[in-house]
């Protein structure tokens, strides 16, 4: 089977992992945890990073740091893996869905603006309220999908106008850039807003720690609060005093040791992903039956995390054909507003998300994908769709 997206782990990681085991520093107090945070912040161009046990836990902590509370609403794209919706529900808050754009498949910032201007109003306390549900709109959470990025300038502008925290889910887009700035880096002329960016190091991501995630911020107070919440909110090094509900979310030393070794190779991973992506684009740009290949928005340097094609018709028969030929593929995620446990949520729009779900197919994109295997994927798709 040619797998969809597997990690690339070679000898470089081993020495530090062995050191954790040999010295018995396996938990989160080990030296690699802080070193990994410093290395990550420096790679991303952000002032601070806090590492966690997963991308989902990083999102949960970001929501708490941004002040999202019970029965608030958080604006989320209708198309995403389910994790950010779960993180919102962990807080007892509700996702409110905005469609993705047909051009770049990312959160549609025009729809977002329409929602904020036409469907929300301020109450006497100055809070932004969704007129239909009566709930407080507490944050905007764009998801930078598939290695691309949503329109960051517009998101920052709207977050500033409406005084909403911007929590970016960049689980899939570590290594992507907006106008030359990495995820989590402060933009040129960025206004004063709360902005927290999260990523994931799950095994299928561009680099891995087995399971893990990180939160980036340019605010020291937020970074300290995030680390405090991730370590059970303990206030004293000796006494067991805790000042609020805390979480056991901090990454352990073994995972961080793996992460440092992976981060050292990230430039190579990005180079390979780009080569794989461009090879697919060349092969499929005028292919009958394929209406679009992974888009790259203006100002975005894509990390090509997971190459995805959009077919003229439903993608499931091609998926079956590829499976029979030993090639693993996946459709994009079901529109979040169509998940039964989220059917109470406010949906501003979701037409494009639903269309992408039906007709899309993500195809093998591992860093270690051999050219011969990629050729097999390309030929199998081309022969199925015809010239
Ligand atoms: C968009 C998105 N957000 C969040 C996550 C959650 O990350 P994790 O699996 O590390 O919790 C993922 C993937 O796993 C994702 O694709």
């Amino acid at each position: 089977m040619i797998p969809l997206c597997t990690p690339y782990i070679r000898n470089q990681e081993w020495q530090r992992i062995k050191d954790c085991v040999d010295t018995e520093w396996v938990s989160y107090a080990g030296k690699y945890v802080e070193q990994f945070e410093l290395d990550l912040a420096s790679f991303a161009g952000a002032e601070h990073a806090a590492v966690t046990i997963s991308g989902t836990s990083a999102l949960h902590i970001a929501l708490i740091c941004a002040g999202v509370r019970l029965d608030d609403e958080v604006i989320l794209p209708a198309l995403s893996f389910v994790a950010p919706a779960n993180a919102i529900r962990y807080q007892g808050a509700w996702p409110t869905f905005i469609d993705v754009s047909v051009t770049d498949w990312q959160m549609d910032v025009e729809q977002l603006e329409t929602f904020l201007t036409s469907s929300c109003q301020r109450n006497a306390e100055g809070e932004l309220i969704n007129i239909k549900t009566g709930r407080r709109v507490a944050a905007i959470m764009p998801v930078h999908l598939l290695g691309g990025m949503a329109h960051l300038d517009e998101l920052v502008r709207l977050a500033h106008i409406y005084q909403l925290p911007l929590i970016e889910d960049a689980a899939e887009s570590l290594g992507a850039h907006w106008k030359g700035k990495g995820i989590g880096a402060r933009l040129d002329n960025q206004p004063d807003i709360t902005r927290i960016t999260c990523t994931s190091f799950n095994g299928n991501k561009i680099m891995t720690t087995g399971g893990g995630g990180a939160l980036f911020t340019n605010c020291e107070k937020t970074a300290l609060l995030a680390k405090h919440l991730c370590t059970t909110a303990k206030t004293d090094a000796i006494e067991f005093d805790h000042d609020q509900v805390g979480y056991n979310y901090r990454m352990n030393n073994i995972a961080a040791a793996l992460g440092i070794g992976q981060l050292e190779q990230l430039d190579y991973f990005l180079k390979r992903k780009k080569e794989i992506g461009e090879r697919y684009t060349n092969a499929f740009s005028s292919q009958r039956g394929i209406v679009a290949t992974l888009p790259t928005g203006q100002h975005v340097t894509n990390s090509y995390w997971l190459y995805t094609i959009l077919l003229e018709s439903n993608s499931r028969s091609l998926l079956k054909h590829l499976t029979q030929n030993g090639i693993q593929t996946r459709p994009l995620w079901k529109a979040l507003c169509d998940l039964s446990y989220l059917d109470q949520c406010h949906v501003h729009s979701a037409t494009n998300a639903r269309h992408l779900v039906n007709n899309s197919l993500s195809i093998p994109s591992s860093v270690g994908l051999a050219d011969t295997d990629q050729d097999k994927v390309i030929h199998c798709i081309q022969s199925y769709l015809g010239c």
Side-chain angles (χ1 to χ4, degrees):
M1 180 65 91
I2 301 175
L4 185 64
C5 201
T6 49
Y8 188 90
I9 303 175
R10 298 294 183 270
N11 287 336
Q12 198 149 332
E13 293 83 0
W14 182 238
Q15 205 46 49
R16 289 189 193 89
I17 294 173
K18 188 172 177 314
D19 179 47
C20 297
V21 177
D22 288 346
T23 60
E24 297 174 337
W25 281 93
V26 292
S27 197
Y28 69 65
K31 65 180 178 188
Y32 293 124
V33 180
E34 279 185 18
Q35 188 191 328
F36 186 35
E37 288 179 333
L38 293 173
D39 292 356
L40 273 172
S42 147
F43 175 86
E47 281 167 37
H48 308 275
V51 288
T52 55
I53 55 169
S54 64
T56 311
S57 55
L59 289 168
H60 184 196
I61 293 295
L63 287 160
I64 301 173
C65 291
V68 173
R69 318 182 292 247
L70 182 70
D71 271 334
D72 280 345
E73 288 186 12
V74 175
I75 304 172
L76 192 68
L79 183 73
S80 166
F81 179 60
V82 71
N86 284 338
I88 293 166
R89 291 299 297 130
Y90 296 166
Q91 276 308 92
W94 299 93
T96 290
F97 297 110
I98 301 285
D99 207 355
V100 292
S101 134
V102 268
T103 48
D104 64 4
W105 305 354
Q106 308 287 342
M107 185 191 252
D108 186 329
V109 286
E110 282 177 25
Q111 297 266 358
L112 172 63
E113 184 156 24
T114 308
F115 170 73
L116 289 167
T117 49
S118 320
S119 303
C120 300
Q121 67 184 22
R122 299 244 169 234
N123 66 10
E125 288 78 45
E127 296 171 325
L128 192 69
I129 303 294
N130 178 342
I131 297 167
K132 212 161 184 181
T133 61
R135 295 191 190 114
R136 181 176 86 118
V137 177
I140 306 173
M141 188 187 265
V143 182
H144 300 307
L145 291 168
L146 299 169
M149 286 184 83
H151 199 303
L152 206 46
D153 286 348
E154 278 300 289
L155 289 165
V156 166
R157 184 181 71 82
L158 291 170
H160 184 232
I161 293 176
Y162 288 90
Q163 286 297 294
L164 290 171
L166 186 63
I167 302 170
E168 292 161 59
D169 181 345
E172 302 178 2
S173 293
L174 182 67
H177 288 80
W178 174 263
K179 291 186 175 172
K181 301 277 184 187
I183 61 146
R186 194 192 296 274
L187 300 182
D188 292 332
N189 307 317
Q190 182 180 304
D192 190 19
I193 57 166
T194 299
R195 192 175 155 219
I196 306 173
T197 305
C198 300
T199 197
S200 162
F201 306 118
N202 186 20
N204 66 354
K205 296 298 183 294
I206 191 154
M207 58 165 273
T208 189
T209 58
L215 171 161
F216 297 103
T217 170
N218 295 303
C219 166
E220 190 181 8
K221 222 171 117 194
T222 303
L224 290 174
L225 176 60
K227 289 179 196 181
H228 182 60
L229 290 169
C230 284
T231 48
T232 67
K234 193 165 182 281
T235 50
D236 190 280
I238 309 289
E239 301 298 330
F240 288 92
D241 201 4
H242 306 260
D243 62 358
Q244 56 189 297
V245 176
Y247 301 84
N248 188 4
Y249 278 174
R250 192 143 173 82
M251 180 180 281
N252 72 56
N253 207 34
I254 300 177
L258 175 55
I260 292 168
Q262 287 271 291
L263 188 60
E264 286 171 350
Q265 302 165 83
L266 186 52
D267 285 340
Y268 169 69
F269 296 172
L270 287 164
K271 178 173 160 283
R272 274 299 296 143
K273 289 275 193 186
K274 185 164 187 264
E275 284 165 2
I276 292 165
E278 288 178 349
R279 222 154 161 256
Y280 277 139
T281 302
N282 285 338
F284 297 138
S285 53
S286 49
Q287 171 64 48
R288 180 178 149 190
I290 295 182
V291 292
T293 53
L294 186 75
T296 292
Q298 215 195 348
H299 311 305
V300 177
T301 309
N302 204 302
S303 77
Y304 290 96
W305 168 60
L306 188 61
Y307 200 87
T308 302
I309 53 178
L310 185 64
L311 302 177
E312 219 163 55
S313 52
N314 189 291
S315 61
R316 301 320 185 261
S317 57
L318 176 57
L319 181 151
K320 270 192 205 138
H321 174 75
L322 292 169
T323 309
Q324 281 157 7
N325 283 276
I327 297 168
Q328 188 183 38
T329 61
R330 286 285 178 273
L332 289 178
W333 321 271
K334 189 169 182 176
L336 292 172
C337 49
D338 292 334
L339 298 180
S340 55
Y341 85 101
L342 295 173
D343 64 3
Q344 308 284 306
C345 299
H346 180 87
V347 184
H348 177 75
S349 49
T351 316
N352 298 331
R354 289 182 174 125
H355 177 69
L356 279 165
V357 176
N358 289 332
N359 291 15
S360 59
L361 203 63
S362 298
I363 57 180
S365 306
S366 307
V367 167
L369 180 68
D371 284 355
T372 44
D373 281 347
Q374 188 174 10
D375 288 341
K376 185 176 168 193
V377 177
I378 292 169
H379 292 144
C380 209
I381 293 174
Q382 286 177 333
S383 65
Y384 186 83
L385 294 174
C387 352

